[in-house]
Amino acid sequence: MRDRLLALIAGLLFPLAFAPYDLWPLLFVSIGLGYWCQQQASSAREALLRGWLYGLGMFAFGISWVHVSMHDYGFMPLWMAIPFTGLFAAFLALFYGLTFYASWRLGRSALAFAGIWLLLDWLRGVLLTGFPWLYAGYALIDSPFATLAPIGGVWLLTLSAVLISACFIRLTNWRRGGYAGLVASSALLILTAVSHTLTFTQPSGSAQKVALVQGNIPQDLKWQLSMRERTQQIYQDLTRDIPADTLVVWPESALTNFYQNVSEFVEQEGQKIAERNGGFITGVPWRTVSNSGVTYHNSIASIPLDPGDGRQRVYHKQKLVPFGEYVPMQSLIRGLIPFFDLPMSGFTPGKSSQPNLTALGHSIAPFICYEILYPELVADRSHDADVLLTISNDAWFGTSAGPLQHFQMARMRALETGRWLLRGTNNGVTAVINEHGKVVDALPQFERDVLLSQYQPRQGTTPFMATGVWPWLLLACLMVWAGWRGRIRTSPNIPL
């Protein structure tokens, strides 16, 4: 019972390494304690339970903010929203139960533990559209390990954190072997030191002025029909005095009406900005009518839509949020509770073949809200991009930790690709991030304002952009195999 409680406590420590707490050394404490609990388990079944308790602590605390959107804006009673969030956390915790279970069966080596952790984290990010939240590597964005990101992305950072933590526990008992893990973790530490001297991208052209408009429209009012004209007026007023030669960005769903219904207003705003030699990009819902019917998209557009150069000027979001932007099995569950009928919950995903946007002569890789959490998607679209742009509306999660965790993860994409990232939001965090993942300028949350800054276009390819996740998945598989081989040699009597 003591070790089960310790596993739960270790999981509760995990989110403290992330925003808004940013106690990143606790990441190693949390993982190390979790590994120690797995080591002490008397059976694979007991290891499974301890791993599940570890994951339950991690997610029950780390994503507790999910209930905010369900209760405050999805009109779900609190007595339903909290259990729903708990069930979600309990499901996600199974991934860590399986990690502890599988690595126990393979002899409890640090190599197998780290390899399986990474493989199941990756699976969590792709299964059923994925939930790529709270990967261990994100907590290291402001640590000395951060320079590993251009080489292997958040995956290499995660692998490093887990392997080093587990190997530290192995140091307490040298006689049980584990020398391969110690060698591997030492190699990672050397690579970390070397990575501080490496640069993979270069400036391309002169700096560009940018204005990120934060409308700060309350979420409980934003989607009301009576707010549509008022919303247009708010963004129009905020944009009026922006200096010339500036790229103006409005956030996700800045306008809560379809572009096709407000095209005159949007194009007029774009024309005013163009007359000051500026560019204009806005988030806006999109409606497409074809022979097969009507489809709806969560979109971002570079205005004017038809500048005469034949280039792509609108991007439709590819990675949709389940229940927020589309309802799985909607014929069965839509209408059961108000949460399944949130505004704009019937979107269609855009095609993966969409090109990047263009504005003021720059190629801009666009990502809408949740999409910035997918490392491979961002890496793939960054090759020909001068800058990354993500727009979001995190007002769904109120004053909770959710928006700050989201912002922290977005910063990792800048570091992985060696490019500046522009982040425009409805109520924060609106910011400009440089190629090192550092915040250059930012607006306070929950204020109506305009962030005037600039970004430096960059070109070049980082190793992570060139290879993606696959080398690290292969390495993880080799680590699992090496752990299994070590089990046969050093622990032949451990029951399967």
Side-chain angles (χ1 to χ4, degrees):
M1 181 60 69
R2 182 203 64 181
D3 289 349
R4 293 178 183 177
L5 179 60
L6 184 59
L8 179 64
I9 293 172
L12 289 168
L13 290 177
F14 190 90
L16 293 174
F18 295 77
Y21 315 102
D22 296 315
L23 302 173
W24 65 263
L26 283 182
L27 181 74
F28 297 94
V29 176
S30 170
I31 297 171
L33 283 176
Y35 180 66
W36 185 87
C37 291
Q38 183 252 28
Q39 294 280 289
Q40 305 305 311
S42 58
S43 66
R45 182 175 297 180
E46 179 64 21
L48 173 66
L49 176 58
R50 294 181 185 187
W52 181 79
L53 288 170
Y54 179 85
L56 183 65
M58 176 196 302
F59 288 112
F61 179 19
I63 63 165
S64 58
W65 44 264
V66 169
H67 85 276
V68 174
S69 60
M70 293 181 178
H71 174 62
D72 292 358
Y73 307 115
F75 309 108
M76 182 184 288
L78 196 61
W79 63 267
M80 290 181 65
I82 292 178
F84 263 74
T85 304
L87 286 173
F88 186 40
F91 167 74
L92 294 172
L94 290 173
F95 286 93
Y96 296 92
L98 290 173
T99 298
F100 282 40
Y101 172 83
S103 59
W104 195 98
R105 291 282 297 265
L106 291 171
R108 293 174 274 184
S109 75
L111 282 175
F113 184 76
I116 294 169
W117 183 302
L118 185 73
L119 291 170
L120 289 178
D121 261 6
W122 173 79
L123 182 64
R124 175 162 63 88
V126 298
L127 188 65
L128 300 176
T129 73
F131 187 70
W133 207 274
L134 290 186
Y135 290 154
Y138 286 124
L140 302 179
I141 185 72
D142 293 312
S143 77
F145 295 92
T147 50
L148 291 175
I151 299 173
V154 69
W155 308 113
L156 179 54
L157 287 168
T158 296
L159 194 67
S160 301
V162 179
L163 184 59
I164 291 171
S165 300
C167 284
F168 181 81
I169 299 300
R170 296 291 293 193
L171 282 173
T172 63
N173 193 343
W174 282 81
R175 293 183 179 181
R176 295 184 60 184
Y179 301 111
L182 292 173
V183 171
S185 58
S186 298
L188 285 172
L189 292 173
I190 294 172
L191 179 60
T192 300
V194 172
S195 66
H196 283 263
T197 66
L198 303 176
T199 301
F200 302 102
T201 62
Q202 307 79 36
S204 174
S206 57
Q208 170 64 53
K209 291 188 293 185
V210 64
L212 303 172
V213 182
Q214 183 170 286
N216 193 38
I217 299 173
Q219 190 64 24
D220 54 349
L221 300 177
K222 182 178 177 68
W223 294 96
Q224 295 182 11
L225 296 179
S226 58
M227 275 295 294
R228 285 182 172 176
E229 291 188 6
R230 174 62 180 148
T231 296
Q232 292 182 20
Q233 188 63 52
I234 288 171
Y235 279 98
Q236 191 175 53
D237 291 344
L238 288 171
T239 304
R240 182 175 293 115
D241 297 324
I242 289 175
D245 306 309
T246 301
L247 175 64
V248 178
V249 178
W250 291 2
E252 178 187 16
S253 300
L255 305 176
T256 55
N257 203 345
F258 292 106
Y259 169 83
Q260 287 70 22
N261 295 338
V262 292
S263 58
E264 182 177 354
F265 169 78
V266 173
E267 295 292 337
Q268 285 179 353
E269 286 301 300
Q271 181 61 34
K272 294 176 186 176
I273 295 170
E275 289 173 355
R276 305 197 300 267
N277 297 318
F280 180 37
I281 293 178
T282 182
V284 62
W286 195 272
R287 181 179 62 230
T288 301
V289 181
S290 64
N291 293 333
S292 57
V294 181
T295 56
Y296 306 99
H297 300 278
N298 188 357
S299 305
I300 180 172
S302 180
I303 307 297
L305 280 186
D306 185 14
D309 57 12
R311 295 184 179 181
Q312 180 76 8
R313 307 292 285 192
V314 62
Y315 169 81
H316 303 312
K317 186 178 181 182
Q318 299 178 52
K319 299 288 188 179
L320 301 181
V321 180
F323 303 107
E325 293 176 312
Y326 79 99
V327 178
M329 302 178 293
Q330 63 174 324
S331 61
L332 298 177
I333 66 175
R334 187 180 285 278
L336 291 178
I337 54 178
F339 179 69
F340 296 144
D341 296 301
L342 288 172
M344 300 298 176
S345 60
F347 285 131
T348 298
K351 296 179 180 179
S352 59
S353 58
Q354 299 173 88
N356 289 333
L357 300 179
T358 56
L360 298 180
H362 291 157
S363 174
I364 300 173
F367 308 96
I368 301 176
C369 190
Y370 196 57
E371 289 186 311
I372 201 68
L373 304 184
Y374 291 86
E376 285 69 48
L377 173 66
V378 177
D380 288 344
R381 298 191 66 87
S382 299
H383 284 272
D384 297 321
D386 298 298
V387 65
L388 312 181
L389 169 65
T390 179
I391 58 172
S392 187
N393 177 27
D394 289 347
W396 290 106
F397 305 109
T399 59
S400 71
L404 298 176
Q405 291 174 355
H406 191 189
F407 177 56
Q408 183 180 50
M409 291 183 277
R411 290 172 54 203
M412 184 65 73
R413 302 290 89 85
L415 187 54
E416 289 171 343
T417 60
R419 281 162 172 75
W420 287 55
L421 171 67
L422 314 177
R423 190 171 193 264
T425 70
N426 176 47
N427 69 341
V429 178
T430 296
V432 174
I433 299 114
N434 68 16
E435 77 275 17
H436 302 298
K438 304 300 182 183
V439 179
V440 175
D441 289 303
L443 288 178
Q445 283 183 287
F446 316 117
E447 291 187 10
R448 184 170 295 164
D449 205 348
V450 178
L451 178 62
L452 296 175
S453 187
Q454 63 179 13
Y455 68 88
Q456 173 61 60
R458 295 183 72 87
Q459 285 290 327
T461 302
T462 65
F464 179 68
M465 289 170 60
T467 63
V469 67
W470 298 108
W472 310 107
L473 294 181
L474 177 60
L475 177 60
C477 291
L478 291 174
M479 290 167 63
V480 174
W481 177 82
W484 174 71
R485 293 291 297 172
R487 169 197 175 277
I488 293 175
R489 291 196 306 272
T490 62
S491 305
N493 296 321
I494 291 177
L496 291 174

